[in-house]
Amino acid sequence: MNAQTEHLTQAGPAGTLELAIDRPASAPLGTAVLSHPHPLHGGTMTNKVVQTLARACVLAGWNAVRFNFRGVGGSAGVYDEGRGELSDLLSVIDVQAPEGALCLAGFSFGAFVTSHAAAQLHPRRDIQRLILVGTAASRFDVAQVPPELHLRSLVVHGEQDDTVPLASVMDWARPQTLPVLVVPGGGHFFHGQLPLLRELVLRHLRA
C-alpha cells in the first residue's frame, strides 16, 4: 500500500500464509484483519477495495493486516470453498491479533468468510467493528451477524452490483433487521467511488 507496508509470512493451517501490515503513526487502537475477494477470480490482498479498507483503518488509528488466502500469491495450499479460508482467517487473528480490540473487514468472498469468523469469535473476542462490503450473499451461505454486533457493523453494497445483486444482500439482511448502506450507482468494485467508500468506512470506524 505504501513504502511503510510490512511484508511477512506466518504459519497457517495449510502452510505458509503471506501477509501485509500497515500501521498508524501513533499507538494503534487495535488490529483490523481484512479478507480479500474470491481466490479463483483474481482476488488477492492487493485488491483495490481491500487496500481502500486498509487505508481507512490506518487513518482511523488501527493496524491493518491484509493476507492472502491459501493458494493465492505466496500462501500455500489450495482453494477450499470457504472452509479452509475461514481457518486461514482465524489463524491470522490468533497470531496477529491475539488480544485487544479487533476489527474484522471483508470484501465479496472475503465478507462471506469474515461473517463466519465474527459469528464464531463472538462473544469470546471484543469485536469493535465489523465491515462487510459487496457481501457475496448470492453465492455463499453468509452467516448472520450476532445481534449484539449490529450497531458495530457496517454493511455496504453497490446499487448496481452485477456480481452480487443488491436484492440478495437485502434478502440476507432483512430477517436480521440489519441495515445495509447502499451506494447509488455503485458497482461491485466501486469503480470511481473508492474515495467515497473510504470515507464511509472511516466514519464508521470513528463513530
Side-chain angles (χ1 to χ4, degrees):
M1 189 167 76
N2 55 52
Q4 287 74 46
T5 300
E6 178 184 357
H7 295 274
L8 65 156
T9 59
Q10 71 163 65
T16 300
L17 289 173
E18 180 183 20
L19 297 86
I21 303 179
D22 293 281
R23 306 179 192 276
S26 55
L29 299 174
T31 301
V33 182
L34 299 87
S35 297
H36 67 71
H38 204 298
L40 300 185
H41 300 289
T44 74
M45 66 180 179
T46 60
N47 170 270
K48 288 183 179 179
V49 173
V50 176
Q51 292 199 59
T52 297
L53 296 176
R55 285 192 186 94
C57 290
V58 171
L59 287 170
W62 293 72
N63 286 335
V65 178
R66 292 172 287 136
F67 70 100
N68 278 330
F69 286 126
R70 57 185 60 199
V72 177
S75 292
V78 295
Y79 173 65
D80 192 34
E81 300 179 339
R83 295 177 298 267
E85 288 76 11
L86 173 59
S87 296
D88 294 342
L89 171 54
L90 293 172
S91 173
V92 171
I93 294 168
D94 283 344
V95 174
Q96 304 300 328
E99 57 186 16
L102 179 64
C103 169
L104 296 179
F107 169 48
S108 194
F109 171 86
F112 149 65
V113 177
T114 296
S115 73
H116 285 274
Q120 187 165 323
L121 290 173
H122 176 78
R124 302 192 276 118
R125 281 299 303 269
D126 178 21
I127 302 175
Q128 282 289 316
R129 293 290 185 271
L130 177 64
I131 300 164
L132 305 176
V133 178
T135 307
S138 62
R139 297 166 179 240
F140 297 96
D141 182 17
V142 180
Q144 291 199 347
V145 174
E148 296 84 357
L149 296 183
H150 280 201
L151 293 179
R152 301 181 182 189
S153 299
L154 174 66
V155 180
V156 183
H157 212 81
E159 178 194 20
Q160 297 178 354
D161 188 327
D162 57 4
T163 299
V164 180
L166 175 59
S168 66
V169 174
M170 298 305 295
D171 288 344
W172 164 74
R174 191 176 299 110
Q176 309 176 66
T177 321
L178 180 66
V180 177
L181 195 160
V182 179
V183 176
H188 190 61
F189 295 97
F190 295 90
H191 292 308
Q193 295 181 320
L194 290 175
L196 171 60
L197 177 63
R198 184 188 65 212
E199 290 307 309
L200 293 172
V201 172
L202 187 56
R203 184 174 69 183
H204 175 66
L205 290 169
R206 288 176 170 168

